[in-house]
């Protein structure tokens, strides 16, 4: 059954909404939005999304919008899946909540952890649940430090991450992330977190070939390990493909060299699979796609296709065994929440039984790649990078020199994003990169629509950038 044939969700039955302007005013009065300049938004008014089906959103003005971001990289099976609604309702009726702290468990947590162990690489068979990706990465900070403590190496506390990584927004996970704007607010990073440069060849590769650059950026990890002292390093954390940083696909030389280094120094590798997991890259995990052997994988987002908040850490047998040797003084009220677990389990069934992950790898992913890469023929677009169903294009005033714009980073990107919105396409901008991460169920016809609308938006953005005198390269 195609998603367009699915029964309508409850949300679609809510009619007679108050006028948009009234909702916007009430929103502005009482609702503080994440990652938002509140006063600026209040002036403009938030767009109000009222329902969704498949890859399509509807707003309070009746526009239908192609969601090329799958919500926030999470609605992998698309909107409106009645099976997920029913899985939640069934579980709520039977057991809406029970904790997993005090020597108790329940069937949804048992079944979901078992299923995740089946899907994960062979050496990973245990799951610690959390309510989100941020929480799971906080778990990971404490878990890797506790691991080394229990192994008799308590001085191994340093965790190395990368600039422009995104690992969440709690104090711990935000510290792991490499977003300087986030660090500037609220006293981050916490002690013991160190950042190395990212493998972003387009922006930072200079005269090097992508492969030389990828190797050099991996070797920055070895340099950092030696600088800190190899006996003080607990772990390296990275997204197989950076997502929120702008879908930065590393050169092929990068991960093999990183793998060699973490192995050489015996440090733990945490693969943050929050975006890459559950089919996004065409395999169950981005680690498979990139050929990585992690000790811990962070999961969230596509785990439940966003229908319920849930995250977790999938842990290797070796780490689980060591951690299991003492009491781990850590947990969240909603660790292994039964409703979230039941929905995640049903979501995994859909991804598997409908062949969605396989289709991304063999059919729709390659189709999107071919179309998406054709955007480099547009005069505003430098490179296009895509793995499975996560991709980005770099906007540039001069392709040959890979120049940035003279204007502040993100000025032209924002302009382009606004044109996309006006053309009923949700595409995000990160600086002057435009990114896509559509629901994995997107059809070839919908991919065509995505590319048409993106092209039109690029045309309009470029005309506007020219009119505003923004097509000037920054001084080299
Ligand atoms: C979104 C994201 C997180 C944080 O997940 P939340 O559920 O928002 O806390 C962590 N890591 C990566 C790679 C993400 O994209």
């Amino acid at each position: 059954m195609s998603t367009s044939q699915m029964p309508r969700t409850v949300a679609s039955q809510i009619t007679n909404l108050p006028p948009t302007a009234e909702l916007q005013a009430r929103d502005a009065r009482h609702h503080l939005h994440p990652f938002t300049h509140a006063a600026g938004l209040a002036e403009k008014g938030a767009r109000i999304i009222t329902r969704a089906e498949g890859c399509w959103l509807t707003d309070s003005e009746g526009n239908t919008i192609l969601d090329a971001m799958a919500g926030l990289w999470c609605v992998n099976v698309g909107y409106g899946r009645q099976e997920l609604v029913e899985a939640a309702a069934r579980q709520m009726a039977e057991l809406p909540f029970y904790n997993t702290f005090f020597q108790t468990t329940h069937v949804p947590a048992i079944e979901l952890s078992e299923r995740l162990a089946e899907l994960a690489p062979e050496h990973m068979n245990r799951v610690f649940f959390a309510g989100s990706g941020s929480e799971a990465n906080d778990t990971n900070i404490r878990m890797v430090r506790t691991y080394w403590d229990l192994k008799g190496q308590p001085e191994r506390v340093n965790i190395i991450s990368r600039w422009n990584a995104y690992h969440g927004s709690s104090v711990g996970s935000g510290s792991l992330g490499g977003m300087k704007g986030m660090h500037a607010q609220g006293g981050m990073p916490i002690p013991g977190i160190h950042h190395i440069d990212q493998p972003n060849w387009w922006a930072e590769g200079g005269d090097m070939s992508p492969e030389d650059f990828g190797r050099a950026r991996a070797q920055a990890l070895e340099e950092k390990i030696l600088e800190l002292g190899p006996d003080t390093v607990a772990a390296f954390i990275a997204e197989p493909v950076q997502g929120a940083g702008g879908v930065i696909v590393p050169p092929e030389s990068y991960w093999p060299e990183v793998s060699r280094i973490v192995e050489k120094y015996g440090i733990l590798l945490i693969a943050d699979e929050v975006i890459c997991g559950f089919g996004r890259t065409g395999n169950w995990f981005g680690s498979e796609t990139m050929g990585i052997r992690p000790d811990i994988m962070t999961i969230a987002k596509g785990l439940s296709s966003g229908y319920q908040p849930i995250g977790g850490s999938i842990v290797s047998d070796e780490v689980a065994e060591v951690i299991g040797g003492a009491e781990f003084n850590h947990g969240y009220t909603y660790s292994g929440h039964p409703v979230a677990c039941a929905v995640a389990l049903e979501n995994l069934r859909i991804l598997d039984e409908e062949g969605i992950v396989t289709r991304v790898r063999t059919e729709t992913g390659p189709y999107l790649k071919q179309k998406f890469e054709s955007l480099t023929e547009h005069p505003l677009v430098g490179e296009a990078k895509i793995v499975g169903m996560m991709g980005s294009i770099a906007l540039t005033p001069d392709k040959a020199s890979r120049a940035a714009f003279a204007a502040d980073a993100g000025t032209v990107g924002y302009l382009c994003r606004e044109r996309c919105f006006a053309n009923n396409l949700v595409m995000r901008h990160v600086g002057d990169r435009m990114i896509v991460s559509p629901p994995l169920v997107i059809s070839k016809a919908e991919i065509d629509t995505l590319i048409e609308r993106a092209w039109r938006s690029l045309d309009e953005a470029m005309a506007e950038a020219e009119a505003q005198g923004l097509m000037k390269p920054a001084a080299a």
Side-chain angles (χ1 to χ4, degrees):
M1 190 169 9
S2 85
T3 48
S4 59
Q5 296 168 302
M6 297 305 301
R8 289 269 162 163
T9 57
V10 176
S12 67
Q13 289 152 20
I14 300 169
T15 51
N16 299 323
L17 282 173
T20 299
E22 184 198 318
L23 288 171
Q24 288 172 327
R26 285 160 61 191
D27 186 73
R29 256 195 312 277
H30 300 294
H31 179 196
L32 285 169
H33 292 238
F35 288 99
T36 296
H37 182 297
L41 179 64
E43 214 160 277
K44 194 176 166 198
R47 194 162 189 167
I48 297 157
I49 305 302
T50 51
R51 55 176 183 262
E53 194 78 31
C55 301
W56 296 86
L57 308 169
T58 303
D59 71 10
S60 56
E61 297 291 277
N63 295 303
T64 52
I65 308 155
L66 180 57
D67 183 8
M69 284 306 300
L72 264 180
W73 323 80
C74 54
V75 188
N76 288 13
V77 298
Y79 299 94
R81 292 301 305 240
Q82 196 60 26
E83 303 95 317
L84 299 180
V85 178
E86 282 159 13
R90 257 197 322 272
Q91 188 56 46
M92 279 198 194
E94 205 167 293
L95 180 71
F97 178 75
Y98 201 72
N99 75 73
T100 52
F101 283 26
F102 304 118
Q103 307 190 0
T104 53
T105 190
H106 46 67
V107 175
I110 295 167
E111 290 192 339
L112 181 60
S113 49
E114 186 177 56
R115 182 71 184 122
L116 287 168
E118 274 170 22
L119 293 172
E122 220 173 285
H123 67 289
M124 309 183 86
N125 292 291
R126 307 283 178 91
V127 187
F128 192 103
F129 288 114
S132 68
S134 300
E135 287 181 6
N137 276 328
D138 278 26
T139 296
N140 294 340
I141 294 173
R142 301 196 54 208
M143 193 184 285
V144 297
R145 288 176 172 171
T146 304
Y147 167 87
W148 286 114
D149 192 33
L150 290 170
K151 296 253 295 185
Q153 300 183 55
E155 64 289 352
R156 282 200 189 246
V157 294
N158 289 312
I159 302 173
I160 302 173
S161 178
R162 305 183 295 182
W163 293 116
N164 202 36
Y166 188 79
H167 297 299
S169 192
S170 58
V171 174
S173 63
S175 296
L176 288 177
M179 302 291 180
K180 289 179 183 167
M182 291 175 68
H183 289 177
Q185 296 174 327
M188 295 192 280
I190 58 169
I193 312 285
H194 308 269
H195 298 84
I196 58 174
D197 285 327
Q198 60 176 339
N200 180 349
W201 176 79
W202 174 266
E204 301 173 8
D207 295 334
M208 292 175 98
S209 72
E211 295 316 308
D212 286 349
F213 175 73
R215 240 180 325 273
R217 282 290 155 98
Q219 282 157 3
L221 173 61
E222 187 158 24
E223 287 155 26
K224 183 59 83 179
I225 292 170
L226 293 173
E227 178 196 321
L228 295 166
D231 296 342
T232 72
V233 180
F236 175 60
I237 182 168
E239 304 150 82
V241 178
Q242 282 158 269
V247 186
I248 311 300
V249 182
E252 277 181 26
S253 56
Y254 183 73
W255 273 114
E257 185 65 2
V258 167
S259 300
R260 182 190 70 75
I261 293 164
V262 293
E263 205 161 302
K264 176 172 172 189
Y265 295 97
I267 67 175
L268 298 174
L269 176 59
I270 307 167
D272 187 335
E273 296 271 2
V274 171
I275 289 175
C276 292
F278 307 105
R280 178 62 55 199
T281 70
N283 289 294
W284 281 99
F285 296 100
S287 293
E288 270 175 86
T289 307
M290 305 312 277
I292 306 166
R293 189 181 193 279
D295 299 287
I296 298 175
M297 297 196 296
T298 320
I299 54 173
K301 296 194 171 120
L303 168 59
S304 65
S305 284
Y307 281 63
Q308 283 284 296
I310 181 169
S313 306
I314 307 182
V315 175
S316 74
D317 297 340
E318 147 77 7
V319 171
E321 195 174 314
V322 173
I323 290 291
E327 178 161 344
F328 189 32
N329 296 312
H330 174 66
Y332 306 106
T333 299
Y334 299 139
S335 286
H337 191 288
V339 178
C341 286
V343 169
L345 201 58
E346 182 65 6
N347 175 62
L348 297 180
R349 187 195 64 74
I350 291 172
L351 283 170
D352 180 30
E353 286 182 12
E354 296 185 8
I356 293 169
V357 179
T358 310
R359 199 159 66 240
V360 169
R361 184 172 60 250
T362 60
E363 202 182 325
T364 46
Y367 186 79
L368 175 62
K369 180 177 163 75
Q370 181 212 334
K371 297 275 165 172
F372 193 75
E373 286 176 348
S374 74
L375 292 173
T376 55
E377 289 158 28
H378 194 282
L380 188 57
V381 177
E383 70 166 3
K385 285 289 191 186
I386 184 161
V387 178
M389 292 228 167
M390 58 192 294
S392 65
I393 49 179
L395 308 183
T396 178
D398 181 39
K399 295 184 194 227
S401 65
R402 311 206 310 271
F405 294 95
D408 288 345
T411 308
V412 179
Y414 179 77
L415 234 158
C416 188
R417 191 203 80 132
E418 290 296 278
R419 295 324 305 158
C420 290
F421 237 44
N423 287 313
N424 287 330
L425 170 67
V426 177
M427 209 166 147
R428 236 171 93 180
H429 80 106
V430 176
D432 294 312
R433 287 186 92 87
M434 303 301 301
I435 59 186
V436 296
S437 170
L440 305 185
V441 294
I442 192 170
S443 68
K444 288 183 180 175
E446 287 167 332
I447 289 171
D448 291 344
T449 304
L450 190 169
I451 299 297
E452 275 161 34
R453 290 183 184 184
W455 190 278
R456 191 185 326 146
S457 304
L458 286 163
D459 278 348
E460 293 171 6
M462 188 165 160
E464 218 168 303
E466 268 163 354
Q468 294 182 28
L470 295 172
M471 288 301 288
K472 293 192 199 77

